[in-house]
Amino acid sequence: MAKSVVARILVNICRLIVSLTFIFSGFVKAVDPIGFQYKIQDYVAAITDAYNTGFFHDWGSLIAAVAIAAFEFILGIHILFAINRRLSSNIAWLFMLLMTGITVWIYFDNPVSDCGCFGDAVVLTNGQTLLKNIALLAMTIPLAVKPLIMPRLISKPNQWIVANFSALYIFAISVYCLYDLPLIDFRPYSVGTNIPDAMEIPAGKEQPQFKTTLLYEKDGQRKEFTMDDIPDSTWTFIDSKTEQISEGYVPPIHDFSIIYDGDDITEDILSDKEYSFLLIAPHLETADESQFGEINILAEYAKRNGYRFLCLTASNQEAIENWIDVTGAEYQFANTDETTLKTIVRSSPGLVLLKNGTIYEKWSHNSLPGLDEQSQALDRTEYGSIAWDENHKTMGKALFWYIIPLLILTFFDRLIAGLYALVKTLKDKRKKLRK
């Protein structure tokens, strides 16, 4: 009897930890599918350099990102609600066996700096990831051995509702975040962030050393330069790369720089006391051109009101000129590190509103602000102040429409099950009395 109680407690503690970990892991990936897509591309690039273009690199990695996030979330829900207990427990054990094997490779080979298992919400070292997966693997074993010990939170006839509703919900979240922007921004460039402050190193902290390499081309010859040795305007910018060359305290933002016509204008942008619109497009060659009309209207609005409108890209001059030819863009272009641009906003192109170095708002190209020649100056519109709680409101609504229906369903399911059990007990007593 004592062993049975201990086994029941152990299994259900493991069930709670494993299920909540899977739910959290799947959810934070689902709200930032493009971020997880980048991580998958890093993994695959570590295996083969040939996998860097084409359908499987772009669409294949995105489909995989959405599918893996949904799989983890749905599996977590199945274990939490004890849906298909045997199957769910065995899948969880096999999945953790696979993931532990992968993290062993990551730990020893170090192809990526962090696994991305919790997106940007919780960043773990490769060693921490390995320990976490070993612990989860150990906790899935009792689930696989004694799955029927887990009591169902909802009756078997109604489990299909929870399963299908959860699948529909998590896929809808990913689609929404692909169309717009992540519901929660875990990255260092979230709305309200002051970029200069986020670049500072606290007093007493050891400063890390970074090296930014700029690749330029002239007369068919390519050459690398440092930030202290930028060539004249006769050279054409090709690409830039920032790498850490010594350890130390790493501030949340450490690689933000803007190069315009060979000059570093980062300080000029961040100290501007007026509004600045920054159009973010890591690669103009693959950026969405469908909203170029709205973008051009915004650029005209900015020019008329005395605001800066600048496109930041890692593309070369040829790609910039092609973008201008296709879209009719009349705004200026500057170069920034590709990884930095991908981190700032999960949209290509995306739009950032900056003032005094502080991020006031960010938009996907699918949800640009409605500003045109009839619009007032920014300080007289809803966009003129920091949108502190916009993400929180959207996130609150998203959770409300998932958690509340599940709670209602669970309540009525347990109520009906309890009434059914009560009626059955009364009938049994009545039969005994008749005898």
Side-chain angles (χ1 to χ4, degrees), residues 80-154:
L80 181 63
F81 281 83
I83 300 172
N84 296 325
R85 291 174 289 186
R86 288 190 181 91
L87 179 61
S88 299
S89 299
N90 285 326
I91 290 175
W93 178 78
L94 290 171
F95 178 69
M96 285 313 307
L97 185 64
L98 172 65
M99 296 309 297
T100 303
I102 292 174
T103 48
V104 168
W105 162 60
I106 295 172
Y107 178 73
F108 286 105
D109 212 31
N110 200 36
V112 292
S113 58
D114 70 276
C115 70
C117 48
F118 296 129
D120 289 305
V122 180
V123 178
L124 301 177
T125 65
N126 291 338
Q128 292 169 335
T129 300
L130 179 58
L131 292 174
K132 181 262 297 179
N133 282 355
I134 291 173
L136 287 175
L137 175 61
M139 283 186 278
T140 58
I141 294 173
L143 303 184
V145 174
K146 296 283 187 179
L148 300 184
I149 289 180
M150 295 187 289
R152 294 189 176 98
L153 295 186
I154 200 163

Side-chain angles (χ1 to χ4, degrees), residues 168-186:
L168 179 64
Y169 171 82
I170 201 64
F171 279 115
I173 287 289
S174 288
V175 170
Y176 175 86
C177 294
L178 283 171
Y179 178 81
D180 201 342
L181 293 177
L183 287 171
I184 307 177
D185 195 347
F186 297 109

Side-chain angles (χ1 to χ4, degrees), residues 238-257:
I238 301 298
D239 198 5
S240 66
K241 178 178 62 176
T242 301
E243 58 181 339
Q244 185 175 348
I245 56 177
S246 68
E247 293 292 335
Y249 173 83
V250 180
I253 297 176
H254 55 267
D255 51 5
F256 184 82
S257 63

